[in-house]
Amino acid sequence: MDMNEKPKVGEKIEDQKPQEVPEVEAPKLPDTKEGKLVAEVLEKAPYAEGNVRRERRVEFKVPADRIKEFLELASEKFEMLIQISVVDWLKEGEFELVYQLWSVSESVHAFVRTRIPRENAKMPTVMDIWPVAETYEREAHEFFGIVFEGNPRLGPFILEPREYEKHPFRKDFNTLGYVKTIYGEDFDRYDESKTNYVI
Amino acid sequence: MTNLEVPKELREEAKAHDMYLHPIDKDTYELFFGPQHMATENFSIILKMDGSRVEKAIVNPGFLHRGFEKLAEQRPYFTNIALLLRICVPESDVPENIYSMAVDEIVGWEVPERAQWIRTVVLEMARMSAWMFWIMGFGNEIGLYTAGQWAAAYRERFMRLFEELTGGRVYHIYTVPGGVRRDIPGDKWLRQLRDTVEYLKGKLKDFDEILFDNYITFERTEGVGVMDKRFALKHAVTGPNLRAVGVPYDVRKDDPYLLYPELEFEVPVLREGDSLARVLVRRYEMEQDLYILEQLLDMGPPSGPYMVKDARLKALPRFKPPKGDAYAHVESTKGDFGAYVVSDGTHKPYRVHIRGPSQSHGVTVLEELLKGARLADVPVILKTLDNCPPDIDR
């Protein structure tokens, strides 16, 4: 419905006012399967923002302190947690966590985004909603150093002991420096005079 | 039994060499299964055994970790193809395709029809050769080596076709953002592909006799490693493993890509959820894949370019897509294989996150299913789940 539409003759203006308030929060949700799904979720979770990206792709932005509440709500519609992607936005000093959900019944993929500060990054675990989150959280903990409170297995997973606690997927991890310290003289292909190394 | 205990002299000698040979108690012991075990493919499971029963299993990945995602952040967009396809060796075309599809979406490219046809054919050929690879492993696991050797020979036919098409046998580096790297060699190649499809259709009956309809297969897999629907959905199990518990989820039907909306095929579903159901779902899918290839060959390659026309493609190392992110996924033989690519507007991707299907069914699900299994069933459960260790390590 167009927001600038004038009230029709015969309708009371007082009746329309409360209806306009949710439309400001979600300005243009298309009248499709995805649009209805987003509207349904946002109705129960007014603190989140949502929009439709394209066919079968929707997106939500949720504040970090209410992420668990939101995912619990979303798990009714989205049965599967496909993965938890972490993006390190170094300049902004934030980690972006993207919980990617798939709805088997509706065939819609949802990105649930949230941002947390890089310093002392902590999140509640979602293991009790989707047990598979245990694996994804172990990975995110090992590579980025995010602590998922309530996950009992946040320990060494994929990396070797000497790489553990270094969090190599952070953008400020010095890959070349690490390789030089570990392999030392064995790393003979490295030439100081060259500047165009890709690592 | 007392004779299970290690003699005192031996224990002292071991202690001098920093080894501790004590069993946990009379019958319980720990067993390191893999990574050198043939069945596990560079994957390790630590089993806590009670006699010949598994009491607890802990998955121990990391033997293959090569840091592909980190390396992908430090290389230009097109160079990453040669890197990411090494994630899943039996079907290396899948990582190529998902990465290319995600980059296509960020740039906003509509892939030409001819390229879409070629990509679909390549993906189905990859699926078929990956099924052959799986039969090889599974046949060896339950002692039916002949089936495995046949499958290896039939896979060779696809490898030859791939070599003629792309120049590589295992790693193809063929699908790139915007299309494919070169055109199909000609009508002779299409005839050869049709011959191979016809040949394999006949050979499926031989596989039925020797493997799928075999008493040994039924004896070894029926009622082993059972999971139910709710468990599978909560653990994000996808692919044939999910279809074996009664959920008809197939990315090709539910989130169609390339030419799949135009093709006719069925999604086989069984309800039992045990190892036998998983094996049979794969058998039915092989038939469907051959049917899809046949339809594609009947359709014929559409005329037109095999690559998008874009001025930016002339300076590939400095190719810069706009800011944005995209997630693309395809149906592989292991399940739902996805890639999440984030672009910050420079010539390298800001973040590439690959979703391997084994990440879900190779860690928590495997640990749950192995509880209470016999030691002899451990490789059977591993192979019927079709675990691909590099999906987990990346």
Side-chain angles (χ1 to χ4, degrees):
Chain A
M1 188 181 157
D2 191 7
M3 270 173 54
N4 300 325
E5 201 180 318
K6 282 173 190 168
K8 283 171 194 161
V9 185
E11 278 184 55
K12 285 181 185 172
I13 299 170
E14 290 91 322
D15 285 354
Q16 277 224 327
K17 268 193 175 174
Q19 282 177 5
E20 272 184 320
V21 176
E23 275 188 285
V24 177
E25 284 179 1
K28 38 184 187 281
L29 284 175
D31 188 25
T32 53
K33 174 178 77 178
E34 294 82 11
K36 281 174 194 159
L37 194 66
V38 173
E40 207 175 310
V41 174
L42 288 186
E43 201 180 318
K44 290 179 193 161
Y47 46 85
E49 292 171 41
N51 66 308
V52 178
R53 287 183 64 162
R54 65 170 175 90
E55 206 188 343
R56 291 187 296 277
R57 294 279 189 284
V58 300
E59 194 174 27
F60 296 101
K61 268 185 193 164
V62 187
D65 51 338
R66 306 192 76 163
I67 187 81
K68 188 150 187 183
E69 197 183 329
F70 182 84
L71 288 175
E72 203 143 19
L73 193 88
S75 69
E76 290 167 16
K77 288 278 168 198
F78 298 90
E79 294 93 344
M80 286 208 271
L81 175 65
I82 288 294
Q83 68 177 8
I84 304 174
S85 307
V86 186
V87 187
D88 182 6
W89 296 102
L90 186 63
K91 281 178 194 161
E92 292 147 54
E94 280 175 333
F95 283 130
E96 184 179 15
L97 270 82
V98 188
Y99 290 80
Q100 307 198 17
L101 316 177
W102 175 261
S103 166
V104 178
S105 49
E106 306 268 347
S107 301
V108 175
H109 184 98
F111 301 93
V112 180
R113 296 163 190 284
T114 186
R115 291 212 173 203
I116 50 172
R118 284 179 97 242
E119 302 289 316
N120 201 6
K122 270 184 194 166
M123 283 297 277
T125 177
V126 290
M127 262 177 72
D128 40 352
I129 309 170
W130 295 284
V132 70
E134 186 186 281
T135 314
Y136 305 146
E137 286 171 359
R138 282 167 83 185
E139 190 190 302
H141 171 72
E142 191 164 43
F143 289 123
F144 289 94
I146 301 169
V147 177
F148 290 89
E149 284 162 337
N151 189 330
R153 291 180 76 179
L154 295 179
F157 182 42
I158 288 175
L159 297 180
E160 286 180 38
R162 65 181 178 206
E163 291 155 351
Y164 189 60
E165 296 294 338
K166 282 194 193 304
H167 311 312
F169 271 56
R170 288 188 177 198
K171 286 278 176 186
D172 51 2
F173 176 78
N174 185 352
T175 318
L176 188 58
Y178 175 73
V179 171
K180 278 201 277 188
T181 49
I182 291 294
Y183 297 103
E185 289 173 1
D186 294 343
F187 189 48
D188 53 356
R189 282 185 295 172
Y190 177 69
D191 186 357
E192 290 283 350
S193 58
K194 284 187 183 172
T195 52
N196 60 348
Y197 275 99
V198 277
I199 56 165
Chain B
M1 281 166 68
T2 44
N3 61 1
L4 268 174
E5 281 175 19
V6 183
K8 199 184 166 192
E9 305 84 54
L10 187 59
R11 201 185 297 166
E12 275 170 8
E13 197 190 328
K15 204 172 179 181
H17 291 87
D18 257 355
M19 288 165 78
Y20 299 91
L21 295 174
H22 50 260
I24 296 167
D25 56 48
K26 206 171 68 179
D27 286 332
T28 320
Y29 57 98
E30 277 179 8
L31 186 67
F32 281 62
F33 193 79
Q36 78 284 12
H37 192 284
M38 252 172 43
T40 58
E41 297 177 3
N42 307 341
F43 190 65
S44 163
I45 313 168
I46 302 164
L47 301 169
K48 193 178 170 194
M49 305 290 300
D50 178 10
S52 75
R53 292 264 166 198
V54 180
E55 207 167 75
K56 195 184 172 190
I58 297 168
V59 163
N60 178 22
F63 291 92
L64 278 164
H65 183 57
R66 292 155 290 184
F68 284 144
E69 288 176 2
K70 184 75 182 176
L71 284 169
E73 286 172 10
Q74 293 158 351
R75 279 161 169 72
Y77 274 89
F78 277 72
T79 323
N80 277 335
I81 296 284
L83 185 74
L84 293 172
L85 86 171
R86 284 168 169 80
I87 285 173
C88 196
V89 182
E91 42 183 352
S92 57
D93 297 285
V94 168
E96 281 179 34
N97 264 283
I98 48 178
Y99 176 75
S100 302
M101 278 159 70
V103 176
D104 285 345
E105 197 184 321
I106 293 175
V107 186
W109 274 334
E110 193 70 40
V111 180
E113 267 183 37
R114 192 177 177 87
Q116 286 197 19
W117 186 87
I118 299 174
R119 278 188 187 186
T120 320
V121 169
V122 163
L123 270 178
E124 283 305 316
M125 278 168 69
R127 273 174 71 84
M128 253 345 269
S129 60
W131 288 134
M132 292 296 131
F133 201 81
W134 170 76
I135 290 182
M136 203 168 90
F138 176 67
N140 290 359
E141 252 19 280
I142 59 172
L144 300 169
Y145 293 95
T146 314
Q149 284 155 2
W150 286 359
Y154 302 151
R155 184 168 182 260
E156 187 61 31
R157 290 183 158 240
F158 283 105
M159 309 275 263
R160 271 189 213 151
L161 288 169
F162 269 129
E163 191 175 6
E164 206 169 322
L165 178 67
T166 67
R169 279 165 54 82
V170 178
Y171 297 127
H172 307 137
I173 321 181
Y174 185 60
T175 313
V176 290
V180 290
R181 207 156 47 89
R182 56 162 138 158
D183 209 349
I184 42 177
D187 288 344
K188 195 187 160 201
W189 185 83
L190 292 175
R191 277 201 303 280
Q192 280 172 345
L193 179 57
R194 191 183 281 276
D195 285 351
T196 308
V197 171
E198 287 295 319
Y199 182 74
L200 269 178
K201 259 169 93 180
K203 289 298 168 192
L204 273 187
K205 289 190 186 88
D206 292 354
F207 274 128
D208 281 351
E209 276 178 25
I210 199 168
L211 185 70
F212 297 112
D213 202 4
N214 193 328
Y215 172 75
I216 300 172
T217 310
F218 276 67
E219 197 73 355
R220 288 296 303 275
T221 55
E222 208 167 3
V224 173
V226 189
M227 55 177 163
D228 66 356
K229 199 168 168 177
R230 203 185 135 76
F231 174 88
L233 283 173
K234 288 276 176 197
H235 282 86
V237 177
T238 49
N241 302 332
L242 184 65
R243 290 192 280 276
V245 299
V247 183
Y249 166 51
D250 188 316
V251 186
R252 293 175 295 178
K253 285 273 188 203
D254 288 297
D255 193 2
Y257 50 95
L258 301 177
L259 289 183
Y260 286 109
E262 295 169 30
L263 297 167
E264 265 181 44
F265 61 97
E266 283 171 21
V267 180
V269 173
L270 288 176
R271 289 181 188 283
E272 289 80 6
D274 58 353
S275 297
L276 181 63
R278 294 196 281 271
V279 170
L280 292 180
V281 164
R282 292 195 167 91
R283 160 69 181 80
Y284 298 137
E285 283 197 20
M286 276 175 223
E287 213 168 282
Q288 294 301 320
D289 286 342
L290 288 176
Y291 180 47
I292 292 173
L293 272 176
E294 225 172 27
Q295 283 180 60
L296 283 165
L297 285 169
D298 286 342
M299 206 189 272
S303 54
Y306 56 88
M307 190 80 187
V308 286
K309 286 207 164 60
D310 196 315
R312 283 176 286 186
L313 287 175
K314 281 177 185 159
L316 274 187
R318 294 285 140 191
F319 164 73
K320 284 178 192 168
K323 279 184 190 179
D325 60 349
Y327 177 79
H329 57 162
V330 305
E331 183 72 28
S332 79
T333 56
K334 320 277 184 264
D336 182 347
F337 217 121
Y340 179 61
V341 181
V342 181
S343 157
D344 65 339
T346 58
H347 67 290
K348 297 169 187 170
Y350 194 75
R351 172 96 168 99
V352 180
H353 192 196
I354 303 287
R355 193 260 175 194
S358 308
Q359 242 176 318
S360 53
H361 69 235
V363 186
T364 34
V365 173
L366 186 65
E367 283 171 358
E368 289 291 323
L369 290 193
L370 285 181
K371 266 181 207 163
R374 293 182 305 156
L375 180 59
D377 289 339
V378 173
V380 173
I381 294 175
L382 238 168
K383 272 290 160 192
T384 52
L385 281 174
D386 206 358
N387 186 9
C388 189
D391 286 1
I392 304 168
D393 298 359
R394 301 189 308 285

